[in-house]
Amino acid sequence: MLKWIWLAEIFGTGSIKTDELTDVFGSADGIYEATEREYRRLRFLSSGDIEKLKNKSLDTAERILAHCEEKGYKLICQESENYPEKLKDIPAKPVLLYVDGEMPDTDYRPSFSIVGTRKATPYGAKVASMMAMGVAQAGGTVTSGMAEGIDTFAHKGALRGNGKTIAVLGCGLDVCYPKSNEALKEIISSNGCIVSELAPKTRPTKYAFPIRNRIIAGLSEVTVVVEAGIRSGSLITATYAAEFGRTVYAVPGNIDRSESAGPNRLIIDGARPLVTVRQLIAETLPLYPHTLSLASLENTGLLQEAKRAEAELLEEVKGHQRQLYRKDKEEKKVQVQKALHETGGSDRPLDTPGGLSELQEKIYGLVRDETPNLNDIAAKCSEPVYRVVAEVTSLELKGIIELLPTGRFVVKDRG
């Protein structure tokens, strides 16, 4: 296990290079034992990668392993018998998983990822709870990201249905993010598990969450998007799910609400509209006839606790108008940038910033000229979405581009 921890710490999360290295050397042991000369034969490794691989110290790995043993955390690497088969099929699969609790068998018992906006409406809260509760009653597992809003209500719905739920974090197991879900985190670890590919004590970063979403999609046979704005990370989860060949459902919503813009867009793009728990289970049943049961469904309507959900989210609903105001301001920024480009305005940024990779330069050029969305960038760069997500996030963190509520990217004003 030490060599797997060593490998994970070298490349971090979501790196396709770990897939390529294990294809060549077979395992973390093989990668660790390889020589510098063997590394240099591999064209996909940079000089920086090789320098990191040359460092054979296992001190950090030993500290991480000792901490996990002390806390009772389990480690599942790619060689482990209980490493999920579903994750073996995805690009940039996790090198290892840190687990607090008991990992449900997502290959035998289907997992349904239920995701959505942090700014859930009472409608979204009720639907997420209803769907998750029905999945649990029918014998499925609910997977989500333990974020505020839809994710939280999905986990709670699964627990109310006496089922198992998996929370995939964008931070280490020792860190509770958001802090408001500390009690929920403890309950989930006793009725399923908390999972992360990041070492314990790792703090959350903006970069970690979109990369984390590939695990949520990868573990699940089905992904359900309940409510999401156009720029929501839940749409990234749906995109991953579609790329992995999994079924994507979207819950229709009012066309005049920004929280419904994401699911409604997914439906236009080919996702299945979802209106009842019974539909969700019935359409998945043929794949898992021995573990799912329609007869077990007790509650196909809205939860009796809908009023309580409404009260919990009242303040978020009130803040929605402020969110719309910010969205309008940023949409105007896109219009100004387009106008400057079309008229040859002098304010258009022409120079590419230094220190960018070849793919980052391509992405910057597209954003500078076209204000594209994520799928536009992936198509025009001829790259898979998971790779584009990592590079786009890096450019955002560097303050070079920014994502607007419309789902489109623009060059960030650094003047």
Side-chain angles (χ1 to χ4, degrees), residues 106-360:
T106 56
D107 300 314
Y108 172 74
R109 190 175 300 280
S111 166
F112 297 74
S113 61
I114 300 178
V115 295
T117 180
R118 288 171 171 79
K119 299 294 184 181
T121 67
Y123 165 76
K126 290 183 285 188
V127 170
S129 295
M130 174 191 72
M131 293 295 176
M133 190 174 190
V135 165
Q137 290 172 349
T141 299
V142 174
T143 299
S144 199
M146 212 181 78
E148 293 175 332
I150 296 300
D151 289 16
T152 292
F153 280 94
H155 290 304
K156 288 181 177 179
L159 295 170
R160 292 187 190 110
N162 295 316
K164 300 293 185 183
T165 185
I166 301 171
V168 185
L169 306 185
C171 54
L173 295 181
D174 287 348
V175 181
C176 186
Y177 183 84
K179 191 71 174 173
S180 58
N181 273 345
E182 192 164 7
L184 177 62
K185 181 172 179 280
E186 292 299 316
I187 297 171
I188 292 173
S189 67
S190 300
N191 294 272
C193 66
I194 309 293
V195 175
S196 178
E197 63 178 325
L198 295 161
K201 299 183 181 179
T202 303
R203 304 298 303 176
T205 65
K206 183 179 180 183
Y207 169 82
F209 291 99
I211 300 300
R212 173 276 311 263
N213 290 350
R214 82 192 194 288
I215 301 176
I216 296 176
L219 283 171
S220 304
E221 189 69 44
V222 169
T223 289
V224 178
V225 179
V226 177
E227 284 185 321
I230 288 295
R231 65 173 290 179
S232 173
S234 302
L235 300 194
I236 296 175
T237 307
T239 301
Y240 279 134
E243 283 202 340
F244 301 161
R246 314 294 164 79
T247 305
V248 177
Y249 286 94
V251 176
N254 291 345
I255 62 174
D256 63 345
R257 300 296 296 267
S258 66
E259 299 90 351
S260 302
N264 290 347
R265 178 76 253 176
L266 288 173
I267 292 169
I268 292 171
D269 291 340
R272 297 186 188 183
L274 181 64
V275 293
T276 67
V277 178
R278 186 167 291 277
Q279 174 201 349
L280 179 63
I281 302 304
E283 292 181 3
T284 312
L285 188 62
L287 298 173
Y288 295 89
H290 303 298
T291 52
L292 285 180
S293 170
L294 273 174
S296 300
L297 283 177
E298 301 171 4
N299 206 335
T300 56
L302 297 179
L303 292 180
Q304 296 299 313
E305 295 158 293
K307 289 295 181 184
R308 187 172 67 82
E310 225 169 285
E312 286 177 1
L313 291 167
L314 183 59
E315 288 306 312
E316 290 177 317
V317 174
K318 286 181 178 178
H320 182 58
Q321 290 301 321
R322 293 192 294 272
Q323 187 181 357
L324 289 179
Y325 172 74
R326 289 194 297 271
K327 178 181 174 182
D328 289 342
K329 282 183 66 176
E330 293 190 295
E331 284 179 339
K332 288 176 183 176
K333 184 175 180 178
V334 175
Q335 294 169 2
V336 170
Q337 183 168 318
K338 282 184 176 179
L340 288 170
H341 170 56
E342 292 168 359
T343 59
S346 59
D347 288 339
R348 178 186 169 205
L350 298 175
D351 297 329
T352 301
L356 303 185
S357 68
E358 183 178 346
L359 179 54
Q360 286 175 345

